[in-house]
Amino acid sequence: MDEFVRDQAGDEFVPKPPSAWDRPSPIPFPELRIAAPIAFVVGLAVTTLCALAVPTALDVFAERGAHGVYVIADEPTCGPDRCRSHLGTFTSDDRTVVRSGVRLAGSPLKSVVQSGRVRAFDVGDPTEVYLEGDSGQPRAVLPFFFGIPGVIALVFGLGYLVRELWRKLGGTRRQ
């Protein structure tokens, strides 16, 4: 009796029309039922992480912060024309900021050696200071590089989930 209802005249029973829960998805690719929630979660995580990193990235681009001297404490690892330091001490020009055991983000010229000094600036990161005049800071570009695909994944996943919820709740009436 649950699968049949009376016709409009009330004379006989006819098959009950399918509800929104019973209708097949109009999506041509059923894989989207799995991909969309994953895209939403990944997009939300990536967008959140990138949004948290944007203020630091903008400070690095503008070289805002305390400027001073970075003294290399370890033996720098060098490539063909640049070196990298993973351990050193930063002291601001006015001596208000002193950070020991920090990494230098950026690559000074190859002439830098252990106990060498380079100009750097601090934007408040407890583990890292940035080389002055080094416009190619890859860590500062990452929030923008990953933020755009993160927003796209978030919007795709959210759009699909809202559409499916709307369809399931009977928001669209198709005959």
Side-chain angles (χ1 to χ4, degrees), residues 16 19 24 32 37 44 63 65 76 83 92 98 124 168 170 175:
K16 184 178 181 181
S19 72
L32 290 178
L44 182 63
E63 290 195 10
C83 295
S92 65
V98 177
K168 296 283 187 198
Q175 297 294 335

Side-chain angles (χ1 to χ4, degrees), residues 116-135:
R117 297 170 180 267
V118 294
R119 294 290 300 169
F121 64 98
D122 175 39
V123 295
D125 187 334
T127 62
E128 195 165 60
V129 294
Y130 297 87
L131 183 66
E132 275 186 8
D134 190 13
S135 59

Side-chain angles (χ1 to χ4, degrees), residues 7 101 106 153 172:
D7 68 354
T172 57

Side-chain angles (χ1 to χ4, degrees), residues 10-36:
D11 297 334
E12 61 184 57
F13 285 99
V14 295
K16 184 178 181 181
S19 72
W21 296 101
D22 299 330
R23 287 191 304 234
S25 175
I27 301 292
F29 303 105
E31 296 84 16
L32 290 178
R33 289 180 184 230
I34 296 170

Side-chain angles (χ1 to χ4, degrees), residues 24-102:
S25 175
I27 301 292
F29 303 105
E31 296 84 16
L32 290 178
R33 289 180 184 230
I34 296 170
I38 293 171
F40 174 74
V41 171
V42 170
L44 182 63
V46 168
T47 303
T48 302
L49 291 174
C50 289
L52 293 173
V54 164
T56 301
L58 293 175
D59 287 344
V60 170
F61 280 132
E63 290 195 10
R64 283 191 292 255
H67 288 258
V69 176
Y70 177 82
V71 179
I72 298 171
D74 63 346
E75 187 67 36
T77 55
C78 295
D81 61 344
R82 300 274 182 178
C83 295
R84 299 198 67 71
S85 172
H86 301 287
L87 184 65
T89 302
F90 172 79
T91 305
S92 65
D93 292 335
D94 59 2
R95 301 199 184 275
T96 57
V97 178
V98 177
R99 295 192 193 276
S100 295
V102 293

